């Protein structure tokens, strides 16, 4: 198998290098100083130059994402300073995202937006139950806030915000690759005077990698695979100031781990997500801006696994199969208004109303788990009112915020903001933020940032009833964050450097509380983290660039309530993690990159080893409208694992909780632009 992959990789490179050259790559047309002047909106909801953003912000253009070989949201995390993905190759509920030293299931301390609309749902508060494998094939740009942002975005904008901005275009793209991978992407857009209509389609499937030497509590199998399929659809309609977008995401994963168990042929997870948003935007030159939007979101998750084998306990007639079927609905209305006051100040205000609920929360099984464990003979969805496993409670949120951006002089700027969120089922919360920026010259920038944020308990946290995942607690308090950050940036034509020192104090972390024979969720821990993010970008030659970052944690201490046990962050999080990328464009027709992600040891992994993974991309512009791309992830076919936030068994007498990652993954793509 390995020999075949190597031949495939070398052959593909050979085909690329023998082709004639035509076309143009735009990656190196801007200086690094000009890139710092790119306008972004995620940090203030108004356009502002990247270098003057009142937050620590990362920006990814479409060209950069393509050259770095970033294909999904999950892969993007590895290129963001402060972030490290412990997401495994299956959509399991025990994988997690690390953000500034804090590990969190479902990534529910990160807010993910698609064209400004929330991907997070309110059952988990995160993105894991929807689709962290969202494809970035038609992305226009991605803007990322690193740090607390609840003053603008409310709950879950705790450690950061990612806004994925897409573009519907006229093109066709085909891909093939390892693991019998097949992919189709296509788009069409038409303009009729003031009316614009567009559609983008994504279809993907693979047979998965074969993962050997896995842990199986049933001792029936020593290998598995991680078969995956996904579909996406985006519809666009705009007329004058009105824009309508509809997104549909579907992801299906077979085999691998589910509920911390292996059972090939049975394990399956299917997630669906619909996003719809209608918005109206009006501008008064550069003086004022109004945005009004109406949103609807629906998410569904359906799963099935084998919890016990035939012949175990009362399960004499067949394996005990277990799964879930959850549905989440959300309606949201917002209005944001910004106005320039004199020449030096800009005032922004906004309001938002949200209604969300879990109208469907049921279990699936082939045994009557709410009765006498009678055998059904087939998998039945248990939908009687007394069989609900998530109470159908409605969440209502009312929000208002204000923000003042001030340009006091050539050297001093400030941003002050305040937001109040009112909930019907948890405590209300007020979140302030303050940023002061000092620029003694165009080359040097200093920022002092103070912010507060919160993660409100999700509907699952509050209202789960024996779902097989959690037992809810309606008395939970929001998890809160106080953050202080000091930033220095150096900017010139060929070199940029930034250093960000942050101190985070987190209170009322939510995890499992044990009291006698009862296990339920509670606010059982606090965390204090101090860390440093170093980020650089050097244009060594006009067509050669080195970029990367290092995140180092000086202190990462979790204080756990006496008598309770949880996995502390310092055991789950590497002390240092980094990404380094070389980007090279030898001619106007060719561009390529080589990236290495690395981390120090993780205590919960069996070998505790540090890790370094290489990935590479080659782009060849065949003509003005056609491109050939080769992506290779895990270039050296390294065997490594990601940790589980909770162990799922014992191996050799010790707790075991880790997921094998895929080996070398190759994809060859052709894109034609109409």
């Amino acid at each position: 198998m390995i020999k075949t992959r190597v031949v495939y990789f070398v052959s593909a490179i050979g085909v690329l290098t023998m082709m004639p050259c035509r076309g143009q790559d735009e990656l190196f047309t801007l200086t690094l100083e000009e890139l710092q002047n790119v306008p972004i909106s995620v940090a203030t909801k108004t356009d502002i130059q990247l270098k003057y953003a009142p937050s620590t912000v990362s920006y990814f253009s479409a060209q950069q994402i393509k050259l770095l070989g970033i294909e999904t949201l999950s892969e993007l995390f590895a290129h963001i300073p402060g972030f490290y993905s412990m997401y495994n190759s299956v959509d399991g509920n025990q994988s997690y995202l690390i953000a500034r030293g804090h590990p969190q299931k479902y990534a529910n301390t990160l807010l993910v937006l698609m064209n400004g609309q929330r991907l997070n749902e309110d059952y988990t508060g995160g993105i894991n139950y929807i689709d962290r494998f969202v494809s970035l094939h038609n992305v226009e740009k991605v803007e990322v806030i690193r740090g607390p942002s609840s003053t603008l975005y409310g709950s879950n904008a705790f450690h950061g915000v990612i806004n994925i901005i897409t573009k519907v275009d006229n093109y066709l793209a085909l891909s093939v690759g390892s693991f019998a991978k097949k992919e189709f992407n296509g788009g069409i857009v038409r303009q009729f005077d003031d009316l614009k209509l567009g559609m983008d389609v994504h279809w993907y499937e693979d047979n998965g990698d074969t993962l050997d030497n896995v842990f199986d509590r049933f001792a029936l199998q020593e290998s598995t695979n991680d078969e995956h399929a996904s579909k996406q659809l985006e519809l666009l309609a705009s007329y004058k100031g009105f824009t309508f977008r509809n997104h549909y995401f579907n992801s299906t994963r077979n085999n691998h781990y589910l509920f911390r168990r292996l059972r090939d042929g049975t394990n399956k997870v299917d997630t669906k997500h619909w996003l719809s948003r209608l918005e109206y935007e009006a501008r008064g030159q550069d003086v004022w801006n109004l945005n009004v939007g109406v949103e609807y979101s629906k998410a569904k998750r359906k799963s099935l696994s084998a919890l016990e084998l035939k012949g175990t306990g009362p399960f004499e007639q067949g394996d005990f199969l277990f799964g879930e079927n959850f549905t989440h609905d959300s309606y949201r209305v917002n209005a944001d208004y910004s106005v320039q006051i004199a020449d030096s100040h800009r005032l922004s205000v906004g309001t938002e109303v949200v209604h969300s609920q879990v109208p469907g929360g049921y279990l699936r099984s082939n045994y009557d788990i709410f009765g006498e464990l009678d055998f059904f003979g087939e998998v039945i969805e248990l939908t009687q009112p007394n069989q609900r496993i998530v109470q159908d409670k409605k969440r209502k949120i009312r929000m208002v915020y204000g923000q003042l951006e001030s340009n006091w002089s050539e050297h001093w700027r400030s941003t002050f903001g305040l937001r109040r969120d009112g909930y019907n089922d948890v405590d209300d919360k007020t979140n302030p933020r303050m940023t002061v920026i000092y620029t003694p010259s165009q080359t040097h920038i200093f920022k002092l940032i103070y912010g507060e944020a919160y993660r409100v308990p999700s509907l699952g946290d509050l209202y789960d009833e024996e779902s097989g995942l959690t037992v809810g607690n309606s008395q939970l308090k929001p998890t809160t964050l106080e953050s202080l950050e000091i930033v220095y940036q150096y900017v010139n034509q060929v070199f940029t450097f930034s250093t960000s020192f942050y101190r985070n104090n987190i209170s009322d972390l939510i995890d499992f509380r044990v009291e006698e024979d009862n296990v339920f969720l509670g606010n059982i821990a606090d965390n204090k983290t101090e860390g440093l993010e170093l980020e650089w970008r050097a244009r060594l030659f006009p067509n050669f660039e080195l970029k990367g970052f290092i995140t180092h944690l000086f202190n990462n201490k979790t204080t756990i309530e006496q008598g309770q046990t949880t996995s502390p962050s310092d055991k789950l999080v590497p002390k240092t993690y980094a990404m380094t990328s070389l980007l090279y464009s030898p001619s106007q027709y060719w561009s390529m990159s080589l990236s290495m992600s690395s981390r120090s040891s993780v205590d919960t992994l069996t070998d505790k080893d540090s890790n370094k993974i290489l990935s590479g991309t080659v782009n060849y512009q065949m003509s003005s409208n056609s491109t050939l791309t080769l992506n290779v992830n895990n270039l050296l076919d390294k065997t490594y694992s990601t940790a589980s936030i909770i162990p799922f068994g014992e191996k050799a007498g010790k707790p075991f909780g880790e997921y094998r990652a895929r080996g070398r993954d190759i994809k060859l793509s052709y894109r034609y632009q109409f």
Side-chain angles (χ1 to χ4, degrees):
M1 177 66 73
I2 293 176
K3 189 177 293 184
T4 301
R5 290 174 179 168
V6 172
V7 170
Y8 181 17
F9 173 64
V10 172
S11 299
I13 287 287
V15 170
L16 281 170
T17 55
M18 288 188 294
M19 287 185 170
C21 299
R22 287 171 290 176
Q24 174 67 42
D25 193 295
E26 300 178 358
L27 185 69
F28 294 94
T29 57
L30 296 179
T31 68
L32 298 187
E33 187 174 34
E34 289 171 333
L35 287 172
Q36 286 293 316
N37 294 327
V38 169
I40 63 163
S41 60
V42 69
T44 59
K45 292 191 176 182
T46 60
D47 288 339
I48 191 170
Q49 288 175 287
L50 176 61
K51 63 183 178 183
Y52 293 132
S55 306
T56 307
V57 174
S58 295
Y59 174 85
F60 299 87
S61 66
Q63 291 88 355
Q64 186 180 1
I65 286 173
K66 179 181 178 182
L67 184 53
L68 291 171
I70 301 171
E71 297 184 321
T72 65
L73 173 60
S74 192
E75 292 175 7
L76 177 70
F77 294 145
H79 293 267
I80 303 173
F83 288 71
Y84 190 85
S85 176
M86 280 289 182
Y87 275 147
N88 55 80
S89 54
V90 68
D91 195 5
N93 65 312
Q94 297 302 333
S95 60
Y96 57 98
L97 176 71
I98 296 167
R100 291 194 161 181
H102 182 220
Q104 191 64 50
K105 292 191 298 183
Y106 318 120
N108 56 24
T109 60
L110 172 70
L111 178 62
V112 182
L113 307 173
M114 179 69 72
N115 296 306
Q117 185 172 0
R118 293 173 69 103
L119 270 177
N120 299 57
E121 40 73 42
D122 282 331
Y123 174 64
T124 67
I127 60 171
N128 202 29
Y129 266 25
I130 300 176
D131 198 355
R132 56 188 166 82
F133 298 98
V134 166
S135 172
L136 303 182
H137 66 281
N138 69 330
V139 70
E140 181 177 15
K141 59 182 177 179
V142 178
E143 300 176 356
V144 183
I145 298 176
R146 293 145 40 200
S149 308
S150 289
T151 303
L152 282 181
Y153 295 101
S155 180
N156 307 114
F158 194 87
H159 284 302
V161 177
I162 295 179
N163 189 22
I164 302 167
I165 300 167
T166 62
K167 180 181 180 181
V168 179
D169 212 344
N170 296 303
Y171 76 100
L172 286 174
L174 299 171
S175 303
V176 295
S178 307
F179 321 127
K181 181 182 303 179
K182 299 177 286 292
E183 182 176 351
F184 168 82
N185 298 305
I188 185 170
V189 62
R190 291 291 182 266
Q191 188 80 44
F192 308 95
D193 296 327
D194 293 329
L195 176 64
K196 182 179 181 180
L197 300 175
M199 178 177 68
D200 187 273
V201 177
H202 163 79
W203 174 87
Y204 172 95
E205 70 172 26
D206 67 46
N207 291 342
D209 194 6
T210 299
L211 307 172
D212 298 319
N213 194 30
V214 295
F215 171 80
D216 177 19
R217 67 175 67 196
F218 300 139
L220 294 178
Q221 59 187 88
E222 295 182 353
S223 66
T224 185
N225 66 14
D226 56 354
E227 180 182 328
H228 177 216
S230 65
K231 305 178 185 69
Q232 288 180 209
L233 173 67
E234 178 178 353
L235 301 176
L236 168 69
S238 65
Y239 179 75
K240 295 185 177 180
F242 291 91
T243 301
F244 172 78
R245 289 183 185 269
N246 183 80
H247 291 273
Y248 168 73
F249 308 99
N250 173 231
S251 177
T252 303
R253 306 192 66 77
N254 295 323
N255 303 329
H256 211 274
Y257 288 100
L258 182 60
F259 305 126
R260 304 181 297 283
R261 290 165 170 83
L262 283 178
R263 192 54 187 264
D264 286 2
T266 299
N267 284 5
K268 183 173 183 177
V269 181
D270 184 88
T271 62
K272 296 181 175 69
H273 195 198
W274 294 264
L275 294 174
S276 298
R277 177 174 173 83
L278 174 64
E279 69 177 21
Y280 172 75
E281 186 169 24
R283 293 178 179 267
Q285 296 180 352
D286 295 327
V287 177
W288 60 270
N289 182 72
L290 173 67
N291 183 286
V292 179
V294 180
E295 299 179 3
Y296 171 68
S297 172
K298 175 185 282 290
K300 295 178 70 72
R301 183 183 194 265
K302 194 172 184 179
S303 61
L304 188 67
S305 182
L307 296 193
E308 297 291 347
L309 300 182
K310 179 180 179 180
T312 303
F315 308 114
E316 299 295 337
Q317 295 174 280
D319 298 344
F320 171 37
L321 304 182
F322 172 91
E324 318 148 324
N325 192 352
F326 291 110
T327 301
H328 165 258
D329 286 333
S330 177
Y331 301 86
R332 186 179 301 264
V333 179
N334 76 282
D336 298 284
Y337 179 73
S338 176
V339 61
Q340 189 73 31
I341 303 174
D343 294 328
S344 304
H345 307 280
R346 190 166 191 89
L347 177 66
S348 300
V349 294
T351 185
E352 190 173 358
V353 177
V354 181
H355 286 196
S356 62
Q357 65 181 126
V358 181
Y362 306 107
L363 294 183
R364 310 167 65 220
S365 182
N366 57 342
Y367 284 88
D368 185 5
I369 54 181
F370 290 101
E372 301 297 325
L373 290 178
D374 295 333
F375 183 58
F376 293 140
E378 60 179 338
V379 175
I380 301 294
E381 191 160 306
L382 305 167
T383 59
Q384 296 300 314
N386 63 338
Q387 296 173 334
R388 283 193 65 96
I389 49 136
V390 184
Q391 299 179 51
D392 187 14
K393 299 287 189 178
K394 293 184 179 180
R395 166 162 288 174
K396 300 177 182 178
I397 311 171
R398 306 290 186 272
M399 175 281 295
V400 62
Y401 79 88
Q403 173 183 262
L404 180 64
E405 302 168 70
S406 299
N407 187 358
W408 299 101
S409 69
E410 180 184 355
H411 303 297
W412 291 94
R413 297 169 179 258
S414 67
T415 300
F416 297 92
L418 191 69
R419 171 169 167 146
R420 177 74 172 178
D421 288 82
Y423 283 76
N424 67 316
D425 53 2
V426 294
D427 294 340
D428 298 349
K429 187 68 172 67
T430 301
N431 289 287
R433 80 160 170 175
M434 177 195 72
T435 300
V436 177
I437 301 176
Y438 173 57
T439 54
S441 68
Q442 292 298 311
T443 303
H444 304 281
I445 303 170
F446 297 87
K447 298 181 183 180
L448 178 66
I449 305 171
Y450 173 80
E452 297 182 13
Y454 74 120
R455 180 183 86 78
V456 73
S458 69
L459 294 176
D461 292 338
L462 295 173
Y463 306 123
D464 260 10
E465 295 184 337
E466 301 293 343
S467 69
L469 300 176
T470 59
V471 179
N473 178 3
S474 61
Q475 304 304 310
L476 288 172
K477 296 184 292 185
T479 300
T480 59
L481 166 69
E482 290 187 8
S483 176
L484 181 65
E485 189 171 354
I486 300 172
V487 180
Y488 167 69
Q489 295 175 230
Y490 176 83
V491 179
N492 71 16
Q493 297 279 340
V494 296
F495 180 68
T496 63
F497 171 81
S498 72
T499 176
S500 172
F501 173 80
Y502 57 87
R503 175 180 293 167
N504 289 343
N505 291 330
I506 303 175
S507 302
D508 295 317
L509 283 167
I510 298 171
D511 210 323
F512 292 106
R513 169 176 279 145
V514 180
E515 292 185 3
E516 297 179 350
D517 294 330
N518 298 317
V519 181
F520 55 92
L521 289 173
N523 300 101
I524 69 166
D526 300 328
N527 177 265
K528 291 185 178 180
T529 305
E530 294 176 344
L532 183 69
E533 293 168 2
L534 301 177
E535 185 178 12
W536 63 88
R537 193 166 181 174
R539 189 71 55 81
L540 304 178
F541 304 101
N543 58 354
F544 187 87
E545 186 175 300
L546 174 68
K547 68 186 297 289
F549 70 83
I550 294 177
T551 299
H552 179 74
L553 304 172
F554 299 107
N555 177 46
N556 191 3
K557 179 65 175 177
T558 301
T559 305
I560 304 170
E561 183 180 299
Q562 186 174 2
Q564 303 302 320
T565 59
T566 187
S567 298
S569 58
D570 58 292
K571 300 295 183 182
L572 293 164
V573 176
K575 199 166 187 177
T576 304
Y577 42 99
M579 171 67 77
T580 301
S581 299
L582 295 172
L583 296 84
Y584 178 47
S585 181
S587 72
Q588 59 181 332
Y589 318 108
W590 292 88
S591 59
M592 55 195 69
S593 70
L594 183 67
S595 299
M596 182 178 70
S597 64
S598 58
R599 61 161 169 78
S600 58
S601 60
V602 176
D603 284 353
T604 56
L605 293 175
T606 302
D607 57 15
K608 296 181 173 57
D609 283 346
S610 58
N611 190 33
K612 296 180 177 65
I613 302 298
L614 283 172
S615 299
T617 299
V618 178
N619 289 310
Y620 173 65
Q621 193 78 28
M622 301 172 64
S623 68
S624 60
N625 54 0
S626 59
T627 308
L628 201 61
T629 300
L630 178 70
N631 289 333
V632 187
N633 291 319
N634 196 0
L635 184 64
L636 301 181
D637 202 19
K638 185 178 177 67
T639 299
Y640 70 101
S641 299
T642 58
S644 170
I645 205 164
I646 295 177
F648 46 81
E650 286 195 355
K651 192 174 184 179
K654 296 181 179 180
F656 184 87
E658 54 190 72
Y659 303 86
R660 277 278 307 280
R662 284 188 172 185
R664 184 185 295 113
D665 191 349
I666 303 170
K667 187 172 86 168
L668 184 64
S669 305
Y670 172 77
R671 178 184 174 105
Y672 183 81
Q673 193 84 24
F674 293 103

